[in-house]
């Protein structure tokens, strides 16, 4: 007799695959948000092909940070804030506050990014476009199958972003040879730039987005570690390719001699670059890419920031978390509607802010992996990853120290 239903084993495999894909794209789209696009356009305009080194640095730091975070969350079966509290009592509350506050600032910029995207596509006022997009995000979280809706939408938007950016990179005809050389031997190195781009791609809430998604989906324990490792590496590869392709798309415009305005806070350098590369079509494509990047980052920032709330209320249900996520997005929207700082300037600043938050959480996690093997289920943590993590952590502390003044200076602070 022919069976119409999948076996429990097949169902489980499909469920695991969907969970891993959701985590991969949540991390990737959070890491390639409107902040990264704006930062890439700004810094490529300022540094030219030398910014390729900043892209490489962000990918390498991303690799070490995400692999460590995903593995530790998987082995401990605990949220980041709970791991921190177990390793250093009280530090989990500090980490939660930093991530939530950083996520709120980032989400204000993300909603601004959705407004800029819809402005490029339809000519809507950015404030109105931001409000429409925020309501759309809220609708996803109030749906009866919010978890599935989040995964499916983020995967679709992530693929759309990659395809459209590849097209723009092709038509802009960048100097690939020079970019490749300066990826490894840059003419200049700017620590503030690297700290900002790292913060915009792996700092703050982004560090924990994919790991917490796996935790919520039950992909934890030593038995799931090989799959989690593969997913983390795949996610890093996806974000790395996307970052470099976006950089090349804008570099092609800069190298052709087109002058992109980055001096004014109200300037939108990414939009200028896409329009120069492919005319009005390029400008519309920028709008679609920017909106997709921004709306997925709104969802990712809200979801991940709220995932830290259970450290303050342990019995928080999934329904309560979804409602808290709705409130988080609503508060972000109100702040966006009230502030006068242009969205592009805010997006560059919050990347730097999250870059300053990154080494705090990473330090706590590495301490837990080193000193608390009992939290890892008795599993001896990889010494190679631990050493790489310590070196990366020291680097991010140094970069934060060297660039803090410059980053806060972006808002005139």
């Amino acid at each position: 007799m022919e069976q119409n239903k999948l076996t429990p084993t097949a169902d489980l495999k499909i469920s695991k695959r969907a969970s891993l894909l959701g985590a991969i794209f949540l991390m990737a789209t959070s890491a390639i948000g409107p902040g990264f696009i704006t930062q890439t356009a700004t810094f490529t305009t300022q540094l030219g092909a030398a910014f390729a080194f900043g892209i490489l640095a962000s990918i390498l730091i991303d690799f070490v940070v995400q692999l460590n975070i995903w593995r530790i969350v998987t082995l401990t079966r605990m949220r980041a804030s709970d791991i921190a509290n177990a390793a250093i009592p009280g530090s989990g509350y500090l980490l939660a506050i930093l991530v939530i506050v950083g996520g709120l600032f980032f989400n204000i910029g993300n909603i601004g990014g959705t407004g800029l995207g819809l402005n490029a596509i339809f000519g809507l006022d950015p404030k109105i476009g931001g409000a429409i997009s925020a309501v759309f995000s809220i609708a996803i979280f109030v749906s009866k199958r919010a978890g599935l809706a989040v995964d499916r939408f983020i995967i679709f938007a992530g693929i759309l972003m990659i395809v459209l950016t590849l097209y723009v990179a092709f038509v802009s005809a960048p100097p690939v040879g020079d970019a490749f050389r300066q990826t490894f031997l840059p003419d200049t190195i700017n620590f503030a730039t690297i700290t900002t781009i790292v913060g915009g791609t792996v700092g703050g809430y982004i560090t924990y987005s994919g790991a917490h998604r796996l935790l919520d989906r039950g992909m934890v324990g030593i038995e799931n570690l090989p799959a989690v490792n593969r997913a983390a590496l795949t996610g890093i590869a996806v974000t790395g390719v996307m970052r470099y392709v976006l950089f090349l798309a804008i570099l092609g415009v800069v190298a052709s001699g087109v002058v992109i305005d980055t001096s004014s806070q109200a300037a939108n350098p990414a939009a200028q670059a896409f329009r120069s590369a492919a005319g009005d079509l390029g400008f519309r494509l920028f709008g679609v890419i920017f909106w997709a990047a921004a709306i997925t980052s709104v969802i990712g920032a809200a979801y991940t920031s709220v995932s830290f709330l259970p450290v303050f209320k342990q019995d928080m249900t999934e329904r309560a978390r979804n409602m808290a996520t709705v409130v988080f997005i609503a508060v972000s929207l109100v702040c966006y509607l009230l502030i006068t700082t242009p969205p592009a300037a805010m997006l560059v600043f919050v990347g730097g802010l999250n870059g300053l938050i990154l080494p705090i959480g990473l330090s706590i996690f590495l301490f837990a992996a080193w000193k608390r093997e009992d939290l890892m289920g008795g599993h001896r943590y990889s010494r190679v990853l631990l050493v790489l993590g310590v070196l990366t952590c020291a680097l991010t502390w140094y970069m934060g120290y060297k660039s803090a003044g410059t980053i806060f200076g972006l808002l005139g602070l």
Side-chain angles (χ1 to χ4, degrees), residues 221-302:
I222 188 69
E223 65 275 12
N224 285 308
L225 196 56
V228 168
N229 286 339
R230 288 194 299 273
L233 293 172
T234 302
I236 293 163
V238 170
T239 56
V241 169
M242 181 64 178
R243 289 174 200 173
Y244 209 79
V245 168
L246 178 64
F247 157 70
L248 289 175
I250 296 168
L251 180 63
V253 175
V254 173
S256 70
V258 173
V259 177
I260 296 177
D261 174 28
T262 60
S263 59
S264 167
Q265 278 199 325
N268 191 338
Q272 296 172 56
F274 275 65
R275 172 168 267 165
S276 297
D280 285 340
L281 173 62
F283 187 63
R284 304 288 181 228
L285 290 179
F286 158 79
V288 176
I289 293 168
F290 209 71
W291 184 83
I295 196 71
T296 52
S297 293
V298 168
I299 293 169

Side-chain angles (χ1 to χ4, degrees), residues 71-72 75-76 365 368-369 372-379 381:
R71 284 173 65 94
I72 293 171
L75 289 171
T76 60
F365 260 63
R372 296 295 305 273
E373 286 189 4
D374 57 308
L375 295 178
M376 312 288 157
H379 178 72
Y381 196 73

Side-chain angles (χ1 to χ4, degrees), residues 162-173:
I162 293 172
V163 171
L164 294 182
T165 307
L166 276 170
Y167 167 74
V168 177
F170 177 77
V171 299
S172 74

Side-chain angles (χ1 to χ4, degrees), residues 25-334:
F25 276 90
L26 183 63
M27 180 189 82
T29 54
S30 293
I32 313 167
F36 176 76
I37 295 174
T38 302
Q39 293 155 17
T40 298
T42 301
F43 298 140
T44 303
T45 301
Q46 294 170 356
L47 301 175
F51 183 56
F53 180 78
I55 299 288
L56 175 64
S58 75
I59 293 171
L60 294 176
I61 291 172
D62 195 4
F63 168 78
V64 176
V65 171
Q66 293 289 6
L67 204 54
N68 271 294
I69 298 297
W70 282 40
R71 284 173 65 94
I72 293 171
V73 168
T74 299
L75 289 171
T76 60
R77 304 170 184 259
M78 299 164 66
R79 297 188 185 283
S81 46
D82 293 327
I83 295 170
N85 271 341
I88 306 173
S91 64
Y93 302 113
L94 171 63
L95 181 61
I97 291 170
L98 288 174
V99 169
I100 292 170
V101 171
L104 179 63
F105 272 102
F106 223 127
N107 231 25
I108 295 169
N110 289 336
I111 291 176
T114 65
L116 290 176
L118 291 184
N119 173 262
I121 300 171
F122 303 113
L124 283 176
D125 181 283
K127 296 286 186 181
I128 296 174
I132 292 172
S133 301
V135 171
F136 175 80
S137 302
I138 287 171
I140 289 178
F141 282 101
V142 298
S143 67
K144 290 183 178 179
R145 304 187 69 183
L148 185 61
V150 167
D151 286 344
R152 287 184 174 176
F153 178 74
I154 282 180
I155 291 170
F156 167 76
I159 293 172
L160 180 67
M161 287 164 55
I162 293 172
V163 171
L164 294 182
T165 307
L166 276 170
Y167 167 74
V168 177
F170 177 77
V171 299
S172 74
V176 177
D178 189 32
F180 180 77
R181 177 184 67 81
Q182 297 209 52
T183 299
F184 305 98
L185 296 171
D187 292 341
T188 182
I189 297 176
N190 186 304
F191 282 114
T193 295
I194 297 174
T195 302
T196 299
I197 205 71
V198 166
T201 57
V202 71
Y205 79 91
I206 301 169
T207 310
Y208 311 100
S209 58
H212 277 195
R213 192 64 185 155
L214 287 177
L215 186 65
D216 285 342
R217 291 296 196 178
M219 291 290 293
V220 292
I222 188 69
E223 65 275 12
N224 285 308
L225 196 56
V228 168
N229 286 339
R230 288 194 299 273
L233 293 172
T234 302
I236 293 163
V238 170
T239 56
V241 169
M242 181 64 178
R243 289 174 200 173
Y244 209 79
V245 168
L246 178 64
F247 157 70
L248 289 175
I250 296 168
L251 180 63
V253 175
V254 173
S256 70
V258 173
V259 177
I260 296 177
D261 174 28
T262 60
S263 59
S264 167
Q265 278 199 325
N268 191 338
Q272 296 172 56
F274 275 65
R275 172 168 267 165
S276 297
D280 285 340
L281 173 62
F283 187 63
R284 304 288 181 228
L285 290 179
F286 158 79
V288 176
I289 293 168
F290 209 71
W291 184 83
I295 196 71
T296 52
S297 293
V298 168
I299 293 169
Y303 167 81
T304 309
S305 297
V306 169
S307 73
F308 278 78
L309 286 180
V311 73
F312 302 106
K313 184 177 173 57
Q314 293 293 334
D315 59 346
M316 197 171 189
T317 64
E318 184 177 354
R319 177 67 176 169
R321 279 178 51 197
N322 284 341
M323 291 303 99
T325 306
V326 168
V327 172
F328 188 89
I329 296 173
V331 171
S332 303
L333 173 61
V334 171

